[in-house]
Amino acid sequence: MMTSAEKAGTNAAMQTPPVVSPQDWEAARQQLLVKEKAHTRARDALAAERRRMPWMEVTKTYAFEGPGGKVSLVDLFQGRRQLIVYRAFFEPGVFGWPDHACRGCSMVADQVAHVSHLNARDTTLVFASRAPQADIARLKQRMGWTMPWVTVTDSFDADFGVDEWHGTNVFYRDGDRVFRTYFIKSRGDEQMGGTWNYLDITPLGRQEVWEDSPKGYPQTPTYKWWNWHDSYAEGAAPDKKWVEISDAGEKAFREEAAEGRD
C-alpha cells in the first residue's frame, strides 16, 4: 500500500492539464467536440463504405459442435440473414486452460451486450473455439456468459484467418447460400461487444433510415425498433408511446444540431 508521501510523489510526476474556470472548460469542450463530431461522421461514412464491400461466397462445407450436437455454418445463422462469428481461444495450450479462456478473448466476451438487440436486426452472434462443448458450457456458467458458443471441428479457423489469433468474421445468408462480407482482427476487435459496433460491421448495418446504404436495403424509422431486451416480439409494431417519446427526442436533437448547440 502506498504511503501519502509516495502518492504525493506520484501525483507530482504527472504533467496534468491546467485547472480552469467553468467557462474556459466549456470552451475547451466545444473545441474538442468539433473534432469528435467529425470523427463520428467519418465513422458513419466508413460503415457505409463497408456495406458496399464485395462479398465472397463460401462454398466449402463446415461442421461445428453445439450444445445439441453437430451444426453447419448455415445452422449458426439460426434462421437470420446475418451472422457474426468471433473466434475465441479456449482450448488445450491456451493460457488459462482449462479454467479460463484467453484473457483477451475473455475481455471481449465480458463486453458483449445482450444479443437480443442484434437478433432484432436479423443478426446472430456466435463465439467459436476448439474446446469441447462440456468445457465451453462450464466456462460460460462460471463467467456468466450467455452468447451461443460452438466448437470448431475442421478448418474453419484456418480458412477464415483465425487459427493463430482472434478475429471476427461476418457472413450473410441468402437461402442456403452463405457469403463472407467482412473480417476484422487484432486491435479492430477491441471495440467489439456493443450492439452498434457489431451492426456497423454487418452488410445491412443498423438498418435505420438515416444510414447511407445501397438501394433496396432494409431500413426502418430511427429508434423505433428499440426495445427492452426481454420485450422484443417478431413482427410487432413499435410501441405507440415509445414512438411519441423518440419522435420528440429526435426533434429536439435536430433543432439543437441546426442551431449548433449539440
Side-chain angles (χ1 to χ4, degrees):
M1 187 172 181
M2 295 180 66
T3 66
S4 298
E6 289 172 330
K7 289 180 180 179
T10 301
N11 291 337
M14 292 178 59
Q15 296 183 7
T16 60
V19 177
V20 298
S21 68
Q23 294 78 13
D24 287 344
W25 185 90
E26 180 60 26
R29 188 187 79 87
Q30 290 296 329
Q31 186 176 8
L32 183 60
L33 187 61
V34 173
K35 296 181 179 179
E36 290 177 333
K37 287 189 172 296
H39 174 75
T40 298
R41 289 190 290 270
R43 184 185 63 197
D44 290 340
L46 185 60
E49 186 174 349
R50 195 180 290 124
R51 289 191 288 277
R52 291 166 170 82
M53 271 189 59
W55 296 358
M56 180 194 80
E57 185 164 9
V58 180
T59 57
K60 188 173 179 179
T61 299
Y62 295 98
F64 306 85
E65 286 291 334
K70 183 174 291 187
V71 291
S72 67
L73 181 59
V74 171
D75 292 332
L76 296 188
F77 284 81
Q78 299 178 12
R80 302 184 181 96
R81 282 191 288 186
Q82 301 190 127
L83 171 67
I84 301 170
V85 180
Y86 175 72
R87 200 310 194 190
F89 277 82
F90 179 49
E91 60 195 64
V94 172
F95 178 70
W97 175 266
D99 297 324
H100 283 290
C102 155
R103 288 186 176 180
C105 295
S106 296
M107 285 189 69
V108 172
D110 279 337
Q111 296 176 71
V112 172
H114 203 287
V115 296
S116 64
H117 303 296
L118 291 175
N119 298 164
R121 294 280 90 177
D122 212 6
T123 304
T124 299
L125 173 68
V126 175
F127 274 43
S129 299
R130 284 198 168 270
Q133 278 296 297
D135 292 297
I136 290 174
R138 172 178 48 80
L139 177 68
K140 288 176 63 178
Q141 182 176 15
R142 171 175 180 164
M143 301 300 288
W145 297 329
T146 59
M147 73 286 285
W149 199 319
V150 297
T151 302
V152 178
T153 66
D154 49 32
S155 62
F156 175 85
D157 48 3
D159 292 349
F160 291 98
V162 287
D163 55 327
E164 297 181 354
W165 196 245
H166 62 84
T168 302
N169 277 281
V170 184
F171 302 92
Y172 183 87
R173 181 182 65 85
D174 182 5
D176 288 333
R177 296 178 70 190
V178 174
F179 304 88
R180 188 190 195 193
T181 64
Y182 190 66
F183 175 59
I184 194 168
K185 65 175 183 177
S186 302
R187 283 202 65 197
D189 261 347
E190 72 182 18
Q191 65 176 335
M192 291 296 102
T195 300
W196 305 125
N197 282 334
Y198 277 131
L199 289 177
D200 282 347
I201 66 172
T202 64
L204 299 182
R206 305 184 188 192
Q207 302 164 54
E208 295 187 335
V209 294
W210 64 268
E211 286 183 300
D212 175 12
S213 292
K215 184 178 180 180
Y217 273 43
Q219 292 185 319
T220 60
T222 306
Y223 306 135
K224 304 303 181 289
W225 65 274
W226 298 10
N227 210 335
W228 297 293
H229 74 248
D230 65 348
S231 299
Y232 284 110
E234 187 175 356
D239 180 83
K240 292 183 178 179
K241 183 61 177 177
W242 173 239
V243 171
E244 294 175 3
I245 293 172
S246 59
D247 279 347
E250 185 172 7
K251 180 182 178 182
F253 170 77
R254 300 303 177 194
E255 290 175 350
E256 287 187 359
E259 296 173 5
R261 295 185 292 109
D262 65 332

